[in-house]
Amino acid sequence: MASQAAHYDAIVIGSGQGGTPLARALAGAGRRTALIEREHVGGTCVNEGCSPTKTMVASARVAYLVRRGADYGVRTGGVSVDMATVRERKRRIVDRFRAGDERGLERTEHLELIRGEARFSGPHTLEVTPAGQGGGAAGRALSADQIFINTGARPARPRLPGLDAVPALDSTSVMELDAVPRHLLVLGGGYIGIEFGQMFRRFGAQVTIVQSGRQLLEREDPDIAAAVEGILREDGIEILLGAEAQRVDRGADDAIRLTVRDGGGERALTGSHLLVAAGRTPNTDRLNFAAAGIEADARGFIRVNDRLETNVPGVYCLGDAKGGPAFTHVSYDDFRVVQANVLNGGGRTIADRLVPYCVFMDPELGRVGLSETEARAKGRPVRVFTMPMKSVARAIEMDETRGLMKAVVDSATQQILGCAVLGVMGGEVMTVVEIAMMGRLPFTALRDATIAHPAVSEALNNLFDQ
């Protein structure tokens, strides 16, 4: 390590969806900025998250629609899936997005992109070593008045006996398969397990989802979770609820044997592949943040206030590394909060912001605001509006009638507290409701709005006219 640290006005650690635009904004304001990236520009979203998964979801939907061709009067032959081609299409799109981000960074004045791994050596000093070479490699010493952490998160590895002895997949490696699994065991019934489970079922795999909780998507209302479960079962996916994984080992012919315990005792599941979808853990364990005096929780998520400031003055944290909802749009909004405060002298915070999200199963689930369960737990006086998608004209015309719409309204103020839309274009319809919530419109505004017929969003007229 050099004795004299190179000084910058700002250093950003991690080029995710918060770090990349922040580095460009800081440099664009004339601040000498370093952006440190140990693996690949673009973060999880571009490389292992949103872009590749939704690309593969689109391929799976085509396979699904082709199989349903006769329902629409379209005759087709047999359907087969070439996973190598699906993978190559995914890789091309990822490469395109990543290259675009890299070009934008390289063209930004006052910005230096440094390839390597950063470790704190003090509150405002870092040592950067070449990625993958560990702490013993020679590094560069850097310092800055302000440091912004955007290191993201990675798939969690549960403590399951035998897991290290089998070739288990995670949400990154499962996308590199070049053949359809014969039988995919999915450990976890959250949005990652559901998206990949349905995807590979549509590619032709037998799929079993093992969920320790009493329902899929544990944060959703029971009726929404039940509807999701019904759709997946209709698609031919086996779902085990209340099933605790006990151990995993190799069976005959290199099969993977997962032993689970449920109300009926222990049982062994046998599959060709195992996908572990058991949450995510922050990429902070090698930051050596203790050397800077930065506080974190027991899981390694860095503590911040509503302005995204850590307990160390001048050090901030954005995105997944701080905990909370791990979504790209949250990370990007974190960037906007920091930009407003650091560069524009604002007083913006993350307090009370609406956090929408989508589960990109098919049909997709779009959700924003409070669920019915959450609203009642808060003691809010609520009215609940529900409507099945089979009552939506456009859904009928598209022969996509699975799912339902649900909205929760404060009966005293008529304000919409939240909604869940499980159905065709569910994320788009949810966004309409979110915008109404942002504008603090009463639910009657959507009830009485003139919405183009037969858009799916037109169903909001009927949803709220009950």
Side-chain angles (χ1 to χ4, degrees):
M1 178 173 172
S3 58
Q4 184 65 39
H7 187 73
Y8 294 82
D9 297 319
I11 295 175
V12 180
I13 308 173
S15 64
Q17 298 304 297
T20 294
L22 177 60
R24 295 188 67 180
L26 290 164
R31 302 192 184 190
R32 186 179 180 224
T33 304
L35 174 59
I36 304 168
E37 176 52 56
R38 74 176 185 183
E39 191 169 0
H40 38 220
V41 169
T44 298
C45 177
V46 167
N47 296 284
E48 299 108 8
C50 317
S51 298
T53 59
K54 279 47 182 182
T55 297
M56 294 181 71
V57 164
S59 294
R61 177 164 169 77
V62 170
Y64 167 74
L65 287 175
V66 171
R67 291 189 184 98
R68 289 192 61 204
D71 295 344
Y72 299 90
V74 179
R75 302 295 178 184
T76 62
V79 177
S80 63
V81 173
D82 182 347
M83 280 302 300
T85 301
V86 171
R87 183 181 64 181
E88 183 57 32
R89 175 175 174 267
K90 179 265 298 184
R91 287 176 174 176
R92 286 198 309 271
I93 291 174
V94 168
D95 289 345
R96 172 185 171 187
F97 287 174
R98 183 194 301 147
D101 281 349
E102 289 177 346
R103 285 193 299 270
L105 293 170
E106 290 166 355
R107 294 170 181 170
T108 303
E109 293 186 33
H110 309 298
L111 175 60
E112 180 182 359
L113 175 60
I114 300 174
R115 305 280 185 170
E117 184 162 3
R119 289 172 54 87
F120 280 93
S121 54
H124 291 275
T125 56
L126 298 166
E127 181 182 3
V128 181
T129 56
Q133 295 190 18
R140 293 178 58 183
L142 310 179
S143 67
D145 301 324
Q146 294 177 318
I147 296 178
F148 305 88
I149 302 167
N150 184 225
T151 50
R154 63 184 183 275
R157 189 85 169 176
R159 295 180 179 177
L160 178 63
L163 186 58
D164 292 337
V166 300
L169 301 164
D170 61 26
S171 58
T172 299
S173 59
V174 73
M175 292 188 289
E176 289 300 308
L177 295 176
D178 60 3
V180 177
R182 179 183 57 79
H183 186 176
L184 179 65
L185 304 175
V186 181
L187 187 57
Y191 66 90
I192 292 175
I194 286 173
E195 287 183 11
F196 279 113
Q198 187 186 51
M199 176 198 303
F200 278 95
R201 177 61 186 153
R202 289 181 168 187
F203 286 150
Q206 182 181 348
V207 175
T208 300
I209 295 177
V210 178
Q211 167 73 334
S212 61
R214 293 177 296 176
Q215 65 176 50
L216 300 173
L217 299 173
E218 291 184 321
R219 295 183 180 179
E220 300 300 328
D221 284 331
D223 54 348
I224 298 296
V228 168
E229 179 186 344
I231 288 169
L232 297 179
R233 289 189 187 278
E234 186 178 287
D235 284 357
I237 296 174
E238 180 184 21
I239 298 173
L240 304 181
L241 300 178
E244 291 279 356
Q246 301 297 301
R247 59 189 175 276
V248 61
D249 55 25
R250 301 298 291 268
D253 299 324
D254 285 333
I256 294 177
R257 185 168 55 206
L258 177 66
T259 301
V260 301
R261 179 183 295 276
D262 57 19
E266 284 195 355
R267 58 183 292 196
L269 310 174
T270 302
S272 59
H273 296 72
L274 173 65
L275 168 62
V276 178
R280 296 179 68 79
T281 190
N283 291 324
T284 60
D285 48 312
R286 297 193 295 200
L287 275 177
N288 193 30
F289 54 77
I294 297 171
E295 295 178 354
D297 67 15
R299 297 176 60 195
F301 290 106
I302 292 174
R303 301 184 191 278
V304 295
N305 61 18
D306 286 345
R307 293 168 59 91
L308 302 175
E309 300 164 324
T310 71
N311 62 298
V312 176
V315 180
Y316 300 73
C317 186
L318 303 78
D320 298 357
K322 71 180 191 308
F327 302 122
T328 291
H329 45 283
V330 169
S331 187
Y332 186 77
D333 191 59
D334 287 351
F335 146 66
R336 293 187 295 196
V337 170
V338 172
Q339 179 189 42
N341 298 339
V342 171
L343 293 179
N344 301 325
R348 189 167 171 175
T349 78
I350 62 172
D352 299 323
R353 68 178 168 189
L354 285 174
V355 179
Y357 64 88
C358 287
V359 180
F360 287 94
M361 57 179 290
D362 184 25
E364 63 196 36
L365 169 62
R367 199 154 71 86
V368 67
L370 298 178
S371 67
E372 178 186 358
T373 303
E374 292 167 337
R376 293 191 187 281
K378 290 177 177 291
R380 302 293 292 266
V382 299
R383 291 183 64 186
V384 179
F385 298 84
T386 62
M387 185 173 70
M389 291 300 295
K390 65 183 180 182
S391 297
V392 178
R394 182 70 183 281
I396 295 170
E397 293 153 3
M398 297 174 69
D399 201 3
E400 296 278 5
T401 58
R402 300 192 294 180
L404 74 156
M405 295 182 177
K406 180 176 183 179
V408 181
V409 169
D410 187 307
S411 58
T413 66
Q414 297 192 342
Q415 294 291 307
I416 304 169
L417 300 177
C419 81
V421 183
L422 174 62
V424 61
M425 302 182 188
E428 311 302 327
V429 178
M430 174 272 292
T431 301
V432 173
V433 179
E434 180 191 7
I435 292 172
M437 294 170 66
M438 292 169 60
R440 299 196 60 79
L441 296 176
F443 79 91
T444 52
L446 292 179
R447 181 195 66 190
D448 300 335
T450 302
I451 302 175
H453 177 78
V456 179
S457 297
E458 184 191 30
L460 294 172
N461 290 159
N462 295 331
L463 173 66
F464 289 113
D465 189 23
Q466 298 177 39

